[in-house]
């Protein structure tokens, strides 16, 4: 979005010329995602602890080291999805179809992970989505891209 706003103003030397450079926009996207995650993470973690109903269930037949994970809030990928999507929409060239294809795959695969975690937490079991269903949905998203 910022690229589409400021790149036409880059004909003359000055600050707006920086928006032509991918390295400048990459640095801006990294800083945007970092700052947004610092601001949003504490609130999101508190909210997920409340909503996750005790965290993701741990299998009883698993290794002893996994029992210490009991109560850990799940769906933390929401923070990554949100910050990366915000940074991408703000700093990338939105007229480029590859940008939209990557966002489709990124958010589509993220939605599959969200559905898997949601089923685990809401049903209070460790199964979530089956492997074949995940693979089928990933194949559909990949074909669309």
């Amino acid at each position: 979005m910022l690229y589409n706003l400021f790149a036409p103003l880059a004909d003359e030397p000055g600050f707006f010329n920086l928006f032509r450079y991918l390295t400048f926009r990459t640095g801006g996207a990294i800083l945007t995602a970092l700052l947004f995650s610092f601001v949003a993470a504490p609130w999101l973690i508190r909210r997920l602890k409340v909503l996750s109903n005790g965290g993701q269930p741990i299998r009883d037949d698993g290794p002893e080291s996994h029992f210490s994970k009991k109560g850990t809030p799940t769906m933390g990928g929401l923070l990554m999805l949100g910050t990366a999507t915000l940074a991408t929409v703000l700093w990338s060239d939105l007229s480029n179809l590859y940008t939209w294809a990557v966002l489709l795959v990124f958010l589509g695969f993220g939605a599959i992970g969200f559905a898997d975690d949601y089923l685990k937490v809401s049903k209070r079991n460790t199964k979530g989505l089956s492997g074949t269903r995940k693979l089928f949905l990933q194949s559909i998203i990949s074909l669309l891209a």
Side-chain angles (χ1 to χ4, degrees), residues 40-54:
W43 175 84
L44 185 64
I45 290 170
R46 282 192 306 271
R47 189 77 181 132
L48 288 175
K49 278 187 177 183
V50 170
L51 294 175
S52 67
N53 192 19

Side-chain angles (χ1 to χ4, degrees), residues 99-139:
T99 301
W100 293 107
V102 168
L103 273 176
L104 167 77
V105 172
F106 184 65
L107 292 174
F109 279 37
I112 294 169
F114 176 83
D116 185 46
D117 285 349
Y118 180 77
L119 288 174
K120 288 177 184 177
V121 170
S122 66
K123 305 277 190 218
R124 299 300 305 155
N125 68 24
T126 59
K127 296 207 188 301
L129 284 175
S130 68
T132 54
R133 184 167 287 168
K134 285 183 205 175
L135 189 59
F136 174 73
L137 292 171
Q138 291 169 352
S139 300

